[in-house]
Amino acid sequence: MRKLAASGLLALATATSATAEPAPRPNIVVIVLDDVGFSDLGSFGSEIRTPAMDALAQGGLRFNRFDTKAVCSPTRAALLTGRNPQTVRMPDLPAAKLNPADMTRDRGELAPNAQTIAQVLRGSGYETVGLGKWHLAPEQEDGSPGHNGSWPLQRGFDSFYGFFLGWTDQYHPKLIEGNRRIPAPETPGYHFSVDITDRAIAALPAPGDAGATKPKFVYLAYGAGHSPIQVPREWIDSYAGVYEKGWDAMREDRLARQKALGIVPKNTVLPPRNPGDRAWADLTPTEKTVFARFMATYAGFITHTDAQIARLVAHLKQTGQFDNTLIVLMSDNGAASEAGQKGNFERLYAPNKLTPEQMLARLDELGTDKTQAEYQRPWAMLGSTPFRRYKVWPQLGGVRTPLIVSWPRVIKDKGAIRKGYVDVIDLAPTLADVAGTRFPRSVGGVAELPVAGMSIKGMLGKATLPGRAVQYLELRGNRAITSGKWRAVAVHKQMTDFATDTWQLFDTEADFSESNDLAARYPAKVEELKRLWWREARKYSNPPLAEAPEAFRLRERFDDSPERQPLPDRLKPADPNEDTIKREAGQ
């Protein structure tokens, strides 16, 4: 009997030990879409076909209160560091040329004492692979020793393949690999989204294969759907006849689908068309034909990207890795608003001098390498349904985007919608938490900048967790503060006293789309939130508030004008399709 009891205890101990053995650490894949609005995915109410992303949502979670920083580089800085972008000196786009004396928040170079999630995960035993868009380094850095401190390999990635600036031609991208620039591909049929997906698949070999000994962190930052909207013609043609209905009617259609999906509350109101944006009914027949083809090109671009994500997911499933891979899919800001009422046809960020009739004659060039097109601004209003405004604005149309999280081994209430508030600064601490590590407080005896984000790992299992309570936003002098159900927003008129800015107040619990300004009804609440904004800004930003740098101040007026302002030549941003050597030599 004693022998039987002893053997039973041994078996129980062995079983308990086996049960307690931790599961392998998950692979982590972060997929970043560019300029894709809140309603631009099927599972968020779109007519755009995104079956692979929708499947991730159906098997995982969607977050309908996820906020970014309204423009690419600040969002990516926050995503990778877990800090507010002002804290890490990336409150806007990177500097063209650094001012060595500027150590304020506006320096335009990632602070060296703010480790990225790639550095944290690599230190914890992960292999770290970066692919796609970077746009977090001063333009003057060329990758050479001493001139590459903000390049990916110096910020925690074992390898990187992608592009350096904010955009590139999808057929002939200007690429960097590691710490060097490499020639643009000239392969017939080449597309950048396909290329980086192939490399993501190669970076995730089947368990037991060579190179599969470490868990993987893959940062997959597509150029899609940032302009130029470029995709083979068959993807565009698949949307023939869809967008002739126009942006006004399609906003209503998207809102109806959002309500049916539960992505927005049933009582959500659609705000009026944004000031300065044309009514579809006022367009000429030629304009309607041309503008519909622009949006069909964008939609085809997104569906093409979805097909690449489908290939990646299929690989993970075929190799038995899908269940224990955490996939985070997001967009970096609201839908793109830069191209004004005519759109861009031949060249990005330059006035479109073609008439609708001239564009119609060349309509088959949309999506090819003969054009660097961007759709008309009112299509961005559609992309940001049901919110006001779009990219770079402080309203929810600028900051709120889709967030999908898939982790089959952990997420049990598949297809659920999480309604707790999440900011992009929360994602890096979450990834560290999932990997069983954390951001260090110091490195090499140097104190690290404090992490402002909070892990949302608990929200993956519990639907009732509320997320963060407070978050502030500042971009180009415009401000917003969220505190519980309340959100206050101030749009700044450049070069005027910030104290004269007019604040609007919204109860986002009762008014999901920020349609009803309550500032006049609750002036005390406005003053309370203004004080809270200053408290948060002083905590995270030095100085807490400043006018936008000159280039952004001149370009974005943040008024009701229908167009962006043209920039003088001396302030025009770098064009990745220009010869890099000539540009850097000042020629």
Side-chain angles (χ1 to χ4, degrees), residues 55 90 112 125 220 237 286 517:
M90 193 64 69
L220 182 57
D237 287 346
T286 297
D517 178 14

Side-chain angles (χ1 to χ4, degrees), residues 71-95:
V71 74
C72 56
S73 298
T75 294
R76 291 160 198 267
L79 166 64
L80 290 174
T81 69
R83 286 97 165 170
N84 287 292
Q86 292 81 3
T87 306
V88 297
R89 303 174 188 160
M90 193 64 69
D92 212 303
L93 305 187

Side-chain angles (χ1 to χ4, degrees), residues 36-51 53-55 57-58 62-64 239 242-243 245 247 249-265 270 295 298-299 302 381-387 401-404 417 512:
V36 172
F38 180 79
S39 72
D40 274 341
L41 306 183
S43 55
F44 280 77
S46 185
E47 73 293 331
I48 298 175
R49 296 183 294 275
T50 54
M53 290 184 261
D54 298 347
Q58 191 59 38
R62 282 166 290 171
F63 290 74
N64 72 348
Y239 285 95
V242 173
Y243 292 102
K245 190 173 184 179
W247 45 66
M250 298 190 80
R251 288 178 75 213
E252 299 280 358
D253 293 346
R254 285 198 183 184
L255 178 60
R257 281 192 293 269
Q258 289 175 324
K259 290 180 178 180
L261 290 166
I263 280 292
V264 306
L270 194 65
M295 188 59 189
Y298 172 80
I302 299 302
M381 175 180 59
L382 172 66
S384 294
T385 303
F387 305 118
T401 71
L403 173 64
I404 297 171
I417 297 171
F512 187 80

Side-chain angles (χ1 to χ4, degrees), residues 53-137:
M53 290 184 261
D54 298 347
L56 290 175
Q58 191 59 38
L61 301 170
R62 282 166 290 171
F63 290 74
N64 72 348
R65 293 189 71 212
F66 169 68
D67 286 356
T68 67
K69 303 307 175 186
V71 74
C72 56
S73 298
T75 294
R76 291 160 198 267
L79 166 64
L80 290 174
T81 69
R83 286 97 165 170
N84 287 292
Q86 292 81 3
T87 306
V88 297
R89 303 174 188 160
M90 193 64 69
D92 212 303
L93 305 187
K97 186 175 183 180
L98 283 176
N99 174 3
D102 183 3
M103 299 304 292
T104 71
R105 62 171 210 160
D106 291 316
R107 183 173 173 84
E109 176 189 43
L110 284 176
N113 60 332
Q115 284 215 333
T116 69
I117 186 60
Q119 289 169 300
V120 171
L121 292 177
R122 185 167 67 179
S124 181
Y126 274 72
E127 181 181 342
T128 56
V129 178
L131 297 162
K133 176 174 172 175
W134 185 240
H135 209 205
L136 286 171

Side-chain angles (χ1 to χ4, degrees), residues 96-400:
K97 186 175 183 180
L98 283 176
N99 174 3
D102 183 3
M103 299 304 292
T104 71
R105 62 171 210 160
D106 291 316
R107 183 173 173 84
E109 176 189 43
L110 284 176
N113 60 332
Q115 284 215 333
T116 69
I117 186 60
Q119 289 169 300
V120 171
L121 292 177
R122 185 167 67 179
S124 181
Y126 274 72
E127 181 181 342
T128 56
V129 178
L131 297 162
K133 176 174 172 175
W134 185 240
H135 209 205
L136 286 171
E139 290 178 23
Q140 71 189 68
E141 291 192 355
D142 62 7
S144 62
H147 298 89
N148 60 16
S150 295
W151 280 47
L153 297 198
Q154 285 62 246
R155 301 310 310 230
F157 286 97
D158 293 314
S159 63
F160 184 86
Y161 176 90
F163 60 97
F164 181 71
L165 295 174
W167 62 277
T168 194
D169 189 287
Q170 296 293 300
Y171 298 114
H172 310 286
K174 299 297 184 183
L175 296 174
I176 63 172
E177 185 169 21
N179 282 329
R180 65 191 181 95
R181 301 181 190 273
I182 61 175
E186 297 297 338
T187 307
Y190 174 92
H191 195 282
F192 182 69
S193 296
V194 177
D195 186 3
I196 60 172
T197 304
D198 289 344
R199 292 169 186 269
I201 290 170
L204 292 158
D209 288 358
T213 57
K214 291 182 176 182
K216 304 295 193 296
F217 169 55
V218 177
Y219 177 68
L220 182 57
Y222 285 100
H226 195 292
S227 49
I229 46 177
Q230 293 175 318
V231 71
R233 180 169 179 167
E234 60 268 23
W235 300 90
I236 307 170
D237 287 346
S238 71
Y239 285 95
V242 173
Y243 292 102
E244 283 75 3
K245 190 173 184 179
W247 45 66
D248 290 315
M250 298 190 80
R251 288 178 75 213
E252 299 280 358
D253 293 346
R254 285 198 183 184
L255 178 60
R257 281 192 293 269
Q258 289 175 324
K259 290 180 178 180
L261 290 166
I263 280 292
V264 306
K266 297 291 187 183
N267 66 348
T268 300
V269 174
L270 194 65
R273 185 186 316 108
N274 291 316
D277 286 339
R278 298 174 68 187
W280 185 260
D282 292 341
L283 270 57
T284 68
T286 297
E287 286 176 321
K288 289 179 180 179
T289 298
V290 171
F291 293 1
R293 186 68 175 183
F294 271 82
M295 188 59 189
T297 305
Y298 172 80
F301 196 14
I302 299 302
T303 299
H304 177 265
T305 307
D306 184 82
Q308 310 318 310
I309 294 171
R311 294 197 298 120
L312 175 61
V313 171
H315 167 75
L316 291 171
K317 289 180 176 180
Q318 290 163 4
T319 55
Q321 301 179 82
F322 182 67
D323 285 354
N324 197 32
T325 295
L326 171 67
I327 299 176
V328 176
L329 187 150
M330 58 169 280
S331 175
D332 61 353
N333 46 246
S337 56
E338 296 100 335
Q341 304 308 300
K342 292 179 63 175
N344 290 118
F345 191 88
E346 294 176 308
R347 188 174 175 86
L348 283 183
Y349 305 128
N352 182 359
K353 298 179 180 179
L354 300 180
T355 66
E357 289 72 21
Q358 288 171 325
M359 289 189 282
L360 179 64
R362 298 172 56 189
L363 209 53
D364 285 346
E365 294 180 16
L366 277 179
T368 72
D369 60 0
K370 295 179 181 179
T371 59
Q372 293 175 351
E374 181 176 0
Y375 59 39
Q376 295 70 30
R377 193 174 81 181
W379 288 125
M381 175 180 59
L382 172 66
S384 294
T385 303
F387 305 118
R388 295 182 301 143
R389 302 296 188 180
Y390 11 62
K391 177 181 176 179
V392 307
W393 288 75
Q395 289 90 347
L396 287 177
V399 303
R400 187 148 296 173

